[in-house]
Amino acid sequence: MCGIIGYIGEEKAAPRIIYGLKKLEYRGYDSAGIALIDSGKIERFRAKGRISNLEEKIKREPLKGVIGIGHTRWATHGKPNEENAHPHLDCTGRITIIHNGIIENYFEIKEELKRKKHKFTSETDTEIFAHLIEEYLSEGFEKAVETALKRIRGMYAMVILCADEPDRIIAARQGSPLVIGIGRGENYIASDVPSFLKFTNRAMFLEDGDMAVITRDKVTVKNRGKKVSRQVRNIKWSADQAEKSGYAHFMMKEISEQAQAFEDTILGRFNESRGEIKFEHVDAKELKKIKKIKIVACGTSYHAAYAAKYLIEKYAAVSVEVDVASELRYSNPVVDKETLLLAVSQSGETIDTIEAFKSLKQKAGYSIAIVNVVGSTLSRMLHGVIYTHAGPEIGVAATKSFMSQLAALYLFALYIGRIKGKLDAKFVRRGIQNLRKIPGLIRIQMKEKRSIERLAGKYSKKRDFLYYGRNISYPMALEGALKLKEISYIHAEGYAAGEMKHGPIALVDDRVPNVFIAPKNALYEKIVSNIQEIKARSGTIIAITNRSNKEMKKFADDIIYIPDIDEDYYPLLEAVPLQLLAYYIGVKKGIDVDKPRNLAKSVTVE
Ligand code: M6R
């Protein structure tokens, strides 16, 4: 995720901004930039790659400005190059902006501004906001930002400078974090505390809908036009804690960021009232010709892909095969011009997935990569690409990237269902409504995480776990087991619950907990039978079911409740407790959950 830093004070701004950007490096980025106001003019420098490339550019410049902004960009809209790097400017070069998040309706606004003869120099959604402010600048800087904000939809953290009013920074937050560092005779604005913690530990966190005007010695905050006061907190974090926003581990930080990752992945890709879904880099005409889909992935990405199989077959009536890339690359699959190949990968660099596609891509009719890292090998290799907007994931265990893959795949299943003429707009609208509910429900789940921590305490000494699910909850059982073994080193297996009688039932005793994913759906009765079979043999049951299901108390030793939702959408809520259970068990066992032994974040060798 991009990093934001702004400074206003008496010191030269450039060194403070470069320092702040370096402290935000851990978030991951592919370009960096800085803009200052000096002698009534904006000076801007940007560079692809490391911050050191940016430093190289500004080293010979006498940068005297005492107000400025800086940004590290993790590409989402447009390639990771200098043109797309922030800060962006308007046509006159008097307004400059940095931004995190997504402006959902940027395309419409860009078209409108083009008609008014605005010239754009980047592929980003961000740049349109500088031009939009320019349109209203005769109202004054502050008013112009207020008016422009009313025009946009989406998730953002924006920080803006205007050369005409060099005594202020304006910042706005909707969905993406922003925090003001309150100093003496100087103030900071940043996406995260570490960027200014060395200079001040007094922080004011902005809330959604806030717009702040920051001068050297004053901060004024309005929320949707009304003046509000926001508490100033003393931050007691160490530098290391600050990078993790106060969380003990990146893994927990990333689990907590899932609601956001989900939102960022779906936003801008649908029109709810029309029941329409669109993907920028996917050719719908090609998809119309498709008769079979083959999805290829590894590890957690494979589990996301597996869940998609159930959805796509149900919504589009197209046959879907899901393959583990390491197996597929040495087999002879039937792929022809009526086959769509889908690669699912967080990193886009997993060697097995890349190699599997090298030989298959030519044979297929069309191919799409669903990846998180913009510009990664897979994102460039296939015909189309759908980016998941999870931001950088630092913990080795995939969590928020899984959630964002599911977000993209749920949308894709609805999309292809519509393209194939199997779904009507009403059904897709209902699907979009369900997807829109998910971030809020995940946030509620996170508030209840302590109950899962208690459960983890009860089971952390066990040596084996079995996970069971049916239908679309089966891949969640696979993922729950994978998460547990990765970060707690406890042996765990995931099974389709219907397979229980074909083998794993032999393992039932009072030492092996059985985690059953059992929401009230069409197959609920069947899974309850499986649970009863284990209970009858004195096995231990941990059930994950929906809150309104009161009868589970009769069968399970422990229950993790998830919110009620339309049944196809339960997996999105099952993932969170499964991750939390694994996390807390790993932590209780004293394992470094961010870097579990023997595992690499990206598997680039066979
Ligand atoms: O980058 P990718 O999604 O292609 O990576 C695939 C797997 O290596 C990855 O999901 C791995 O299984 C994780 N450690 C799971 O937590």
Side-chain angles (χ1 to χ4, degrees):
M1 262 180 316
C2 313
I4 280 180
I5 172 77
Y7 171 83
I8 180 162
E10 290 174 335
E11 301 294 324
K12 283 185 181 163
R16 297 287 172 114
I17 291 169
I18 294 289
Y19 172 87
L21 289 180
K22 287 184 177 167
K23 287 284 153 192
L24 295 171
E25 273 191 305
Y26 72 93
R27 299 162 71 97
Y29 66 102
D30 39 52
S31 59
I34 179 170
L36 310 166
I37 306 180
D38 188 15
S39 313
K41 281 204 194 110
I42 288 175
E43 295 181 311
R44 176 181 67 157
F45 304 88
R46 299 176 298 170
K48 187 179 171 195
R50 316 300 302 164
I51 293 170
S52 53
N53 300 347
L54 178 66
E55 283 184 289
E56 200 52 42
K57 282 199 166 175
I58 61 177
K59 168 162 105 184
R60 287 173 296 275
E61 306 288 335
L63 299 178
K64 299 192 300 299
V66 293
I67 171 170
I69 54 180
H71 190 266
T72 46
R73 173 172 186 256
W74 166 275
T76 53
H77 289 74
K79 293 176 207 72
N81 56 22
E82 189 174 322
E83 288 68 44
N84 290 331
H86 300 210
H88 288 284
L89 296 170
D90 70 321
C91 293
T92 67
R94 303 198 64 71
I95 299 161
T96 186
I97 172 171
I98 52 179
H99 161 226
N100 288 353
I102 293 160
I103 301 173
E104 243 182 271
N105 55 340
Y106 87 97
F107 193 72
E108 292 146 53
I109 296 180
K110 192 167 183 176
E111 291 304 304
E112 174 194 318
L113 291 169
K114 273 187 190 162
R115 287 194 292 276
K116 292 184 178 167
K117 307 281 178 256
H118 284 259
K119 294 261 177 306
F120 295 91
T121 57
S122 79
E123 301 163 277
T124 65
D125 51 342
T126 306
E127 191 186 4
I128 66 113
F129 198 69
H131 289 255
L132 199 57
I133 297 172
E134 180 194 342
E135 279 291 300
Y136 305 118
L137 201 59
S138 55
E139 300 172 12
F141 181 28
E142 192 177 325
K143 201 83 199 68
V145 175
E146 258 179 45
T147 312
L149 282 172
K150 285 186 194 139
R151 297 282 322 275
I152 57 167
R153 287 196 312 272
M155 314 290 294
Y156 50 78
M158 311 264 195
V159 181
I160 313 136
L161 298 181
C162 176
D164 302 342
E165 298 187 38
D167 64 337
R168 63 199 52 217
I169 297 176
I170 297 186
R173 174 196 157 132
Q174 181 63 47
S176 293
L178 267 183
V179 53
I180 300 171
I182 312 282
R184 284 182 202 283
E186 62 180 23
N187 287 314
Y188 298 80
I189 175 84
S191 45
D192 224 341
V193 172
S195 52
F196 58 73
L197 193 61
K198 181 174 155 193
F199 307 108
T200 176
N201 69 343
R202 300 178 67 230
M204 179 194 280
F205 291 86
L206 294 182
E207 290 179 15
D208 282 351
D210 281 357
M211 181 180 118
V213 178
I214 306 157
T215 65
R216 215 153 53 83
D217 41 26
K218 200 168 158 205
V219 174
T220 323
V221 185
K222 283 186 190 166
N223 189 289
R224 296 177 180 95
K226 284 210 181 93
K227 221 169 151 189
V228 288
S229 67
R230 299 279 173 240
Q231 201 191 341
V232 177
R233 297 163 205 266
N234 284 327
I235 301 291
K236 299 196 177 83
W237 301 336
S238 66
D240 176 54
Q241 279 174 315
E243 282 195 356
K244 296 174 193 146
S245 305
Y247 291 101
H249 301 98
F250 280 111
M251 185 176 171
M252 181 47 100
K253 177 172 181 275
E254 286 156 7
I255 291 176
S256 307
E257 285 169 352
Q258 293 192 106
Q260 179 85 56
F262 193 94
E263 226 154 33
D264 287 350
T265 302
I266 61 169
L267 281 185
R269 287 177 163 160
F270 57 77
N271 180 319
E272 187 178 326
S273 56
R274 283 195 243 142
E276 257 174 35
I277 292 169
K278 63 176 185 334
F279 291 103
E280 215 181 340
H281 305 292
V282 170
D283 189 342
K285 286 200 291 299
E286 295 293 337
L287 295 187
K288 274 208 171 105
K289 303 177 202 156
I290 291 306
K291 301 241 164 74
K292 182 176 104 176
I293 299 179
K294 194 163 201 47
I295 322 186
V296 185
C298 300
T300 292
S301 299
Y302 170 78
H303 299 150
Y306 209 144
K309 170 184 165 69
Y310 291 93
L311 291 170
I312 297 172
E313 288 184 342
K314 182 168 175 185
Y315 294 166
V318 176
S319 155
V320 181
E321 292 166 4
V322 189
D323 284 84
V324 168
S326 55
E327 279 300 310
L328 188 75
R329 52 183 291 205
Y330 301 111
S331 62
N332 298 301
V334 180
V335 169
D336 58 22
K337 292 294 172 201
E338 292 185 328
T339 308
L340 164 68
L341 287 177
L342 272 183
V344 183
S345 172
Q346 186 285 128
S347 60
E349 301 296 349
T350 300
I351 194 74
D352 285 324
T353 315
I354 292 171
E355 289 300 320
F357 272 87
K358 274 190 187 157
S359 55
L360 292 184
K361 190 193 145 182
Q362 317 307 334
K363 297 184 193 161
Y366 195 63
S367 59
I368 303 171
I370 299 187
V371 287
N372 195 38
V373 179
V374 175
S376 57
T377 306
L378 274 166
S379 77
R380 288 179 278 113
M381 234 175 107
L382 307 189
H383 298 112
V385 61
I386 297 175
Y387 287 114
T388 55
H389 294 160
E393 193 173 58
I394 294 165
V396 164
T399 53
K400 64 173 179 169
S401 62
F402 179 58
M403 190 55 82
S404 62
Q405 286 168 346
L406 289 173
L409 287 162
Y410 266 77
L411 269 186
F412 185 77
L414 291 166
Y415 173 70
I416 192 148
R418 191 85 179 104
I419 287 180
K420 287 282 173 196
K422 300 288 173 194
L423 302 181
D424 59 15
K426 190 170 162 222
F427 188 95
V428 175
R429 193 178 312 123
R430 174 88 187 177
I432 294 168
Q433 283 159 357
N434 275 302
L435 293 176
R436 290 197 80 136
K437 281 186 206 160
I438 296 294
L441 296 176
I442 294 177
R443 289 189 179 103
I444 293 172
Q445 291 187 292
M446 291 307 294
K447 287 196 182 128
E448 296 164 358
K449 64 184 182 206
R450 295 284 161 234
S451 61
I452 299 182
E453 187 177 11
R454 281 193 291 278
L455 204 64
K458 182 169 166 190
Y459 290 101
S460 65
K461 301 240 162 38
K462 298 289 180 188
R463 296 189 49 183
D464 305 277
F465 268 70
L466 291 170
Y467 285 71
Y468 293 102
R470 274 181 179 262
N471 196 263
I472 194 170
S473 292
Y474 165 45
M476 299 300 121
L478 296 175
E479 176 60 8
L482 176 68
K483 262 326 56 104
L484 187 72
K485 70 184 125 190
E486 277 190 300
I487 57 164
S488 74
Y489 312 155
I490 293 174
H491 169 240
E493 297 299 335
Y495 278 101
E499 279 291 289
M500 196 186 82
K501 278 193 252 177
H502 300 282
I505 198 163
L507 296 173
V508 176
D509 65 16
D510 56 359
R511 287 172 301 180
V512 183
N514 299 277
V515 180
F516 272 88
I517 306 171
K520 269 235 161 175
N521 57 16
L523 293 174
Y524 174 72
E525 316 268 286
K526 304 245 173 250
I527 207 154
V528 165
S529 304
N530 298 131
I531 291 175
Q532 283 171 323
E533 279 150 12
I534 291 201
K535 222 41 237 158
R537 290 163 179 80
S538 306
T540 307
I541 309 286
I542 303 170
I544 298 180
T545 193
N546 47 304
R547 204 171 298 283
S548 63
N549 176 14
K550 303 293 174 216
E551 72 165 7
M552 187 54 84
K553 287 195 193 108
K554 287 193 276 182
F555 316 118
D557 297 86
D558 286 291
I559 304 176
I560 299 171
Y561 285 108
I562 59 173
D564 287 82
I565 194 156
D566 284 358
E567 67 173 66
D568 288 349
Y569 296 83
Y570 279 126
L572 299 166
L573 303 172
E574 291 157 3
V576 180
L578 291 168
Q579 293 164 348
L580 287 171
L581 185 64
Y583 170 83
Y584 284 120
I585 292 182
V587 169
K588 285 195 193 297
K589 291 188 70 183
I591 288 164
D592 179 356
V593 293
D594 283 340
K595 291 195 194 81
R597 68 187 178 203
N598 308 334
L599 290 170
K601 182 69 192 159
S602 178
V603 183
T604 53
V605 285
E606 196 173 352

